[in-house]
Amino acid sequence: MSAATIEENEGAGPFEVTHRLVLSIAIPMTLGFLTTPLLGLTDTAVAGRLGSADALAGMAVGSVLFDLLLGSFNFLRASTTGLVAQAFGRGDRREEQAVYWRSLTIALCCGLAIALLSPLLLSAGLFLMAPSPTVAEVTSTYFTIRVLAAPMALANYALLGFVLGRGQGMTGLALQAIINGINIVLSITLGLGLGWGVAGIAWGTFTGETVGMIAGLLIVVTRFDRAQRPARAEIFARARMKALFSLNRDIMIRTFVLIGAFAIMTRIGSSMGPLVLAANAVLMNIFLVAGYYLDGLANAAEQLVGRAFGANFRPAFDRAVRLTLFWSFGLGIVTTLLFLLFGTDVIGFLTTTESVQAEAVKYLPWAALTAITGALAFQMDGVYIGATWSSAMRNMMLVAFVGYLAALALFVPLLGNHGLWLALNLFLAFRGIFLALRLPGLAGRQFA
């Protein structure tokens, strides 16, 4: 079954999960998500060519703060994907549209609130990260501009969640390419070409998110079947909204803890000095590349598991879990090997500062390993999101986070920055293992 077939198929009832079906969703989304780390690589390279470690470190802190803030709302994409996929599996087109409008409304309201509260949020973020005064000045410039895109960025979460829930991988690829392609071009043009520096990078992000939202609305809404349009009372029905908020709450807690773990890593790296902070910022782009590779397969798991739930068809569920696991680990191993072979060249591209290059190379193997240690975690996240097992996913994340804190307390004093990266790899492994252990019992109850 091709990507075009999955987009046009009514989707209801039993269906066969094949390698081709998995890849028809995963490959376009992997390509789409890869534009995001390419954007990160570009932004880091632009900042790295400004001739100052403070500029690179300041943008790194600003990016972490923004990711911590907006990433906490990633539940908008995840919950939309799971609920739309289940409605797709039932053949309930009316509910698909209703889920979309609920999520988009919440996204726009949350985005406006973030923009209005941005001065307080920036102050709290700088207090949390405690950068040096010169780094903090760069961070403030970057954050103040980029936060203006918050409503558009969150609306894009809802848009992407909808198309992923229907298995429309090519549409998702198009949306990601529009957002990040514009961002990349403008970051280079404004940041380096016109000499705007970090401010130019931030304005590039704002423009990309805005154009992406407009394009997404046009693509999605024009495809809706007017005969299946839900009434306003259906969209905002109390029971439906309550269920959505409950699901979003659990995923938000899980996501906040996840991004909080990365913020803690940046905070600890900052305490080791600007050189280590800058080196870790470069290496985090390698981790993000691995993560976005694996996210494509996680999205395939979300859609196929959610569709199997909607159709109440256990064989499709079991095979979706097996095949996405196979491809996730296979891709993780290949990614790790590629970064071990070519990671030094990637580091050289990201920064021209020799001291930062030398520091980053020391910890390159740890960053490359995240593709393997994170393979099960990403795949299991996809399974749990598609199944809307949000409370179990939240609880396992909290348990894994406790293990992460213990690893930090044990290994950072002994090994320094090596211990910091070791703890991150253990955290990724804990997440995947704990979720996998819960899977058989949850599936048994669902399909009993």
Side-chain angles (χ1 to χ4, degrees):
M1 187 178 292
S2 66
T5 303
I6 188 71
E7 290 197 18
E8 300 300 329
N9 192 342
E10 285 300 304
F15 63 102
E16 182 183 2
V17 178
T18 64
H19 288 283
R20 186 176 182 182
L21 179 55
V22 170
L23 296 178
S24 73
I25 302 170
I27 290 176
M29 288 318 305
T30 296
L31 294 175
F33 286 138
L34 275 178
T35 62
T36 299
L38 285 176
L39 168 62
L41 293 173
T42 302
D43 288 352
T44 302
V46 171
R49 281 165 170 72
L50 297 176
S52 168
D54 287 341
L56 182 57
M59 196 198 72
V61 173
S63 295
V64 168
L65 290 177
F66 203 81
D67 290 343
L68 177 63
L69 182 60
L70 283 196
S72 300
F73 289 86
N74 191 50
F75 61 81
L76 291 166
R77 191 215 53 83
S79 63
T80 305
T81 298
L83 293 172
V84 169
Q86 291 183 14
F88 183 72
R90 293 192 304 270
D92 189 348
R93 302 296 164 255
R94 199 176 189 87
E95 179 60 15
E96 285 181 26
Q97 292 189 39
V99 170
Y100 168 77
W101 291 118
R102 288 180 204 123
S103 297
L104 183 64
T105 301
I106 295 172
L108 291 173
C109 291
C110 291
L112 288 171
I114 289 172
L116 292 172
L117 295 173
S118 60
L120 294 177
L121 295 171
L122 175 60
S123 297
L126 292 176
F127 176 78
L128 174 69
M129 304 304 291
S132 66
T134 52
V135 172
E137 183 178 356
V138 176
T139 298
S140 298
T141 298
Y142 178 82
F143 185 93
T144 301
I145 297 169
R146 187 176 171 185
V147 78
L148 298 175
M152 289 73 81
L154 295 188
N156 286 328
Y157 284 176
L159 286 161
L160 184 60
F162 178 81
V163 298
L164 289 179
R166 300 201 78 244
Q168 297 172 338
M170 292 305 296
T171 303
L173 169 59
L175 291 176
Q176 292 296 105
I178 290 170
I179 294 168
N180 294 324
I182 291 173
N183 198 338
I184 287 170
V185 171
L186 289 182
S187 292
I188 296 172
T189 302
L190 300 179
L192 290 179
L194 297 182
W196 291 11
V198 170
I201 297 172
W203 281 118
T205 301
F206 172 85
T207 306
E209 295 285 4
T210 302
V211 174
M213 182 191 72
I214 294 170
L217 287 170
L218 291 174
I219 291 171
V220 170
V221 175
T222 55
R223 293 182 178 179
F224 281 161
D225 183 353
R226 293 187 178 183
Q228 299 292 335
R229 180 183 297 171
R232 184 177 301 178
E234 291 178 80
I235 295 173
F236 300 108
R238 183 173 182 179
R240 295 287 191 181
M241 292 296 292
K242 183 177 179 180
L244 179 59
F245 276 111
S246 177
L247 177 61
N248 284 340
R249 177 201 63 212
D250 292 337
I251 299 177
M252 181 178 67
I253 292 171
R254 166 260 181 196
T255 304
F256 188 82
V257 172
L258 176 61
I259 299 179
F262 298 143
I264 290 173
M265 182 176 179
T266 302
R267 177 66 179 85
I268 294 175
S270 177
S271 70
M272 297 179 185
L275 186 60
V276 170
L277 178 62
N280 284 351
V282 171
L283 291 174
M284 281 302 290
N285 284 283
I286 290 178
F287 166 70
L288 289 175
V289 168
Y292 284 111
Y293 271 130
L294 297 172
D295 246 349
L297 285 159
N299 290 148
E302 290 172 19
Q303 201 279 334
L304 295 172
V305 166
R307 186 179 171 191
F309 265 45
N312 194 29
F313 190 51
R314 178 68 186 263
F317 170 83
D318 290 338
R319 188 157 173 80
V321 172
R322 288 196 301 270
L323 294 191
T324 54
L325 181 63
F326 168 81
W327 284 105
S328 187
F329 268 106
L331 188 57
I333 292 169
V334 171
T335 302
T336 293
L337 293 175
L338 287 174
F339 276 123
L340 289 175
L341 290 172
F342 303 109
T344 301
D345 296 327
V346 174
I347 291 170
F349 168 77
L350 290 173
T351 177
T352 56
T353 306
E354 293 184 1
S355 58
V356 176
Q357 289 178 358
E359 191 72 11
V361 168
K362 294 180 185 178
Y363 311 108
L364 174 61
W366 291 115
L369 186 61
T370 57
I372 295 176
T373 55
L376 181 61
F378 278 90
Q379 187 259 354
M380 281 290 115
D381 275 353
V383 171
Y384 275 65
I385 288 170
T388 58
W389 290 331
S390 59
S391 61
M393 184 169 62
R394 175 202 65 202
N395 293 341
M396 293 303 97
M397 173 61 79
L398 291 172
V399 174
F401 184 70
V402 171
Y404 173 62
L405 294 179
L408 288 173
L410 177 62
F411 295 116
V412 171
L414 293 175
L415 303 173
N417 200 43
H418 286 288
L420 187 58
W421 280 97
L422 171 58
L424 176 63
N425 278 276
L426 288 174
F427 176 54
L428 295 172
F430 290 156
R431 286 175 52 212
I433 292 169
F434 295 158
L435 289 171
L437 290 175
R438 289 291 311 275
L439 183 63
L442 291 170
R445 287 195 291 273
Q446 177 67 32
F447 293 101

